[in-house]
Amino acid sequence: MKTLLYFLLVALPVLATAQTRPNIVLIYADDLGYGDTSAYGATAIKTPNIDRLAREGLRFTDAHAAAATCTPSRYAMLTGQYAWRKKGTGVLPGDAAMVIDTKQATLASMLQKAGYTTGVVGKWHLGLGPQGGPDWNAEIAPSPNHIGFNYSFIMAATGDRVPTVYVENNRVVGLDPADPIKVDYTKPIGDWPTGKANPDQLKMHPSHGHDMTIVNGISRIGYMTGGKAALWKDEDMADVFTGKAVQFIERQKAKPFFLYFALHDPHVPRVPHPRFVGKSGMGPRGDAILQADWSVGEVVKTLDQLRLANNTIVIFTSDNGPVVDDGYKDDAVVKLGSHKPAGPLRGGKYSNFEAGTRVPFIVRWPKQVRRGISNALVSQVDFLASFAAFTKQSLAQNDAPDSQNLLSALLGKTGTGREHLVEQASSLSIRVGQWKYIEPNRGPKVSAYTNVEMGHDPDGQLYNLSTDISETRNVAKQYPERVREMSALLQKLRPSGASR
Ligand code: NG6
Ligand code: CA
């Protein structure tokens, strides 16, 4: 009798959750382009682990990050709100305050309500702490732990921005209280050498910017001093993050979990572990892509070993398109060879052209998701509404205002996705089916820093992607009516506050 009672009260509900609530692992590369993996047709580089996910899952050809840079993409992905609706969500300095309001619904807090244990490991870049930024020497709040994550192990911003330390559950890891961290983005602080004054101390030189405080032989954006015992070693970063991601999965294996694993690779500075150095033949950028693929493989292997693969949805995607020279002289340009980071697409990171936001995007859930290719138009902004539907959570009226429930498309039950999508770069663009309209922008055609084609034109541009995926023929003059319609739709969405 006692055992029966135990079974009914304890074991059965656990079994039921295990069956109905698959784990969700979202692996998010940084600056990985549409053409950067062999899963998406690259031949100069081999990414076997990402390819395996594609083979065992559904590979999307028209899936998008919400923006062509990091902070707005991540903001939109986690909140379900287009970032251009919210001021202060551009690329953030390393000492920025948290941009997500603790009252906002997030993908993590929604899944937490649904009974998931949630964790984030890797690049954060959404700010930390209150107005004025965090005190690195005390408990940091708000942090990811205040917007829905049970566990966090992060770097605050990017590898090229100070402070170059990890933060685990609101505390800088390994900090010696006798050596407090000070950070300043406006003027030098402390007496550590800078790239500008001491280029002789550099193992990697900047090509633009990145000439402030030197840490680990690399000059960064921003000034810092202190926290010597807590400084990261760039060469070990992928090992550290991957180790933390694997440990999280191992700890949570008995109950449904959501892991947001935000890789640093292949963002600058590209300083892969020595075991990847020289392996791609493409210099540090290619080697960092191999390292990203290794990180993916470790996670997939862990799911296999714990027999969780069948009950785990793995999503692999990237926060924005590719860039070759992003501010360091790291051989990426000279060693690129025939490799096309954006595949057939035009532009790259920062650009209004498709390569800005159209990214690799794979969903694997062995027993449930159809294998193959999907041409559905989907966006990362849709995760919140889709997974809310999936876990039967209701969203309040103002939650996730731009997130659409695209569960059927994400699970491969339909090939139809969004009717329209706003893409964010230096201008806004709107996609309606295979038509794309880019708003006027007087900026330079090609970025002087990155050499990326920005998709700027003083007049609006219209492209028909079904016959011109590379956006080479602006047909705005031939289709003035369509231009008017699409521009009007964008104007309507802008002040509306919502599009779902
Ligand atoms: C730019 C940096 C670039 C990179 C980017 C953010 C310079 C010259 N360029 O301002 O190196 O850090 O910001 O990248 O400083 S992102 O992927 O996080 O959006
Ligand atoms: Ca990025």
Side-chain angles (χ1 to χ4, degrees):
M1 185 62 197
K2 245 188 178 163
T3 31
L4 180 67
L5 208 63
Y6 169 83
F7 186 76
L8 289 175
L9 292 177
V10 182
L12 200 64
V14 170
L15 283 178
T17 4
Q19 282 158 9
T20 53
R21 298 274 160 99
N23 311 303
I24 301 167
V25 174
L26 168 58
I27 309 177
Y28 208 50
D30 195 358
D31 297 0
L32 188 74
Y34 190 80
D36 268 329
T37 60
S38 31
Y40 279 80
T43 50
I45 191 157
K46 287 267 164 287
T47 50
N49 295 296
I50 297 165
D51 297 7
R52 175 182 164 196
L53 288 179
R55 211 166 48 240
E56 296 177 356
L58 188 59
R59 182 170 73 80
F60 288 76
T61 61
D62 199 0
H64 293 254
T69 51
C70 173
T71 302
S73 282
R74 287 161 205 251
Y75 174 84
M77 181 171 75
L78 289 183
T79 65
Q81 181 188 39
Y82 282 142
W84 45 266
R85 295 197 192 282
K86 173 129 167 179
K87 274 214 172 71
T89 53
V91 173
L92 291 174
D95 62 349
M98 165 79 90
V99 293
I100 298 176
D101 194 312
T102 51
K103 290 194 264 328
Q104 264 175 291
T106 69
L107 181 59
S109 66
M110 182 278 295
L111 288 171
Q112 223 173 27
K113 280 199 193 117
Y116 281 71
T117 304
T118 56
V120 54
V121 172
K123 176 176 174 176
W124 182 241
H125 213 182
L126 291 166
L128 291 171
Q131 275 307 306
D135 175 354
W136 303 101
N137 307 294
E139 176 95 14
I140 295 170
S143 80
N145 299 55
H146 302 86
I147 59 143
F149 288 101
N150 295 97
Y151 174 74
S152 64
F153 184 99
I154 56 169
M155 71 163 135
T158 60
D160 54 343
R161 285 174 174 76
V162 299
T164 55
V165 295
Y166 301 119
V167 178
E168 186 170 33
N169 292 332
N170 319 328
R171 287 273 175 188
V172 170
V173 179
L175 181 67
D176 172 1
D179 181 26
I181 295 175
K182 294 190 189 103
V183 171
D184 204 310
Y185 270 75
T186 55
K187 55 184 186 312
I189 190 167
D191 58 359
W192 290 9
T194 63
K196 191 166 188 183
N198 308 84
D200 49 304
Q201 294 185 24
L202 295 174
K203 62 182 175 195
M204 187 187 275
H205 291 260
S207 57
H208 35 261
H210 299 111
D211 61 356
M212 293 159 239
T213 299
I214 301 175
V215 183
N216 190 25
I218 301 160
S219 47
R220 320 271 168 165
I221 309 174
Y223 302 96
M224 82 173 282
T225 188
K228 264 214 166 89
L231 299 177
W232 71 49
K233 209 168 155 245
D234 304 79
E235 289 82 349
D236 296 336
M237 186 177 281
D239 285 347
V240 170
F241 283 153
T242 306
K244 294 288 174 183
V246 165
Q247 281 165 20
F248 176 82
I249 295 173
E250 287 170 347
R251 277 200 306 279
Q252 304 307 330
K253 60 174 187 260
K255 289 180 294 164
F257 63 82
F258 165 56
L259 171 63
Y260 168 35
F261 181 21
L263 314 180
H264 177 245
D265 292 314
H267 194 280
V268 297
R270 298 159 184 145
V271 194
H273 188 272
R275 67 184 186 280
F276 296 104
V277 171
K279 292 290 151 57
S280 68
M282 240 184 256
R285 184 172 188 277
D287 298 344
I289 293 174
L290 296 183
Q291 183 167 264
D293 185 66
W294 169 83
S295 296
V296 170
E298 291 303 291
V299 168
V300 171
K301 195 167 82 189
T302 304
L303 296 173
D304 285 343
Q305 282 164 353
L306 298 173
R307 301 184 182 285
L308 293 175
N310 278 337
N311 198 36
T312 302
I313 301 175
V314 178
I315 300 173
F316 175 79
T317 185
S318 175
D319 71 335
N320 51 250
V323 57
V324 183
D325 178 349
D326 205 16
Y328 289 97
K329 294 179 185 158
D330 61 6
D331 277 355
V333 176
V334 284
K335 292 196 172 152
L336 193 61
S338 62
H339 179 61
K340 294 207 160 34
L345 308 178
R346 190 168 181 187
K349 181 178 181 178
Y350 310 108
S351 172
N352 293 323
F353 287 130
E354 279 296 278
T357 63
R358 200 192 288 210
V359 286
F361 190 106
I362 298 165
V363 180
R364 185 194 78 161
W365 185 17
K367 287 206 168 143
Q368 305 283 340
V369 169
R370 182 174 67 78
R371 292 178 182 211
I373 292 174
S374 172
N375 300 322
L377 178 63
V378 300
S379 167
Q380 293 160 5
V381 80
D382 300 318
F383 287 153
L384 214 166
S386 303
F387 284 112
F390 185 66
T391 54
K392 305 201 168 43
Q393 297 297 299
S394 52
L395 292 177
Q397 178 73 29
N398 295 328
D399 287 348
D402 298 299
S403 188
Q404 298 185 4
N405 173 7
L406 295 188
L407 198 57
S408 303
L410 293 176
L411 301 183
K413 298 199 167 85
T414 166
T416 310
R418 286 176 156 261
E419 275 173 25
H420 58 74
L421 172 70
V422 180
E423 299 178 13
Q424 175 184 356
S426 42
S427 314
L428 294 185
S429 304
I430 185 156
R431 287 276 310 273
V432 175
Q434 289 304 306
W435 291 94
K436 174 168 172 181
Y437 169 71
I438 307 175
E439 286 201 312
N441 189 313
R442 298 190 173 279
K445 301 255 175 216
V446 176
S447 159
Y449 294 127
T450 59
N451 209 28
V452 167
E453 288 192 287
M454 297 298 288
H456 291 153
D457 193 293
D459 299 317
Q461 300 165 74
L462 182 73
Y463 296 97
N464 180 358
L465 302 175
S466 63
T467 53
D468 181 25
I469 193 171
S470 309
E471 293 167 282
T472 56
R473 293 182 300 278
N474 174 8
V475 291
K477 291 215 165 64
Q478 286 95 302
Y479 298 94
E481 188 53 30
R482 194 174 291 278
V483 166
R484 261 195 300 280
E485 272 169 31
M486 291 180 75
S487 152
L489 176 58
L490 193 50
Q491 289 322 318
K492 196 180 98 192
L493 292 173
R494 226 194 267 269
S496 67
S499 62
R500 114 167 115 88

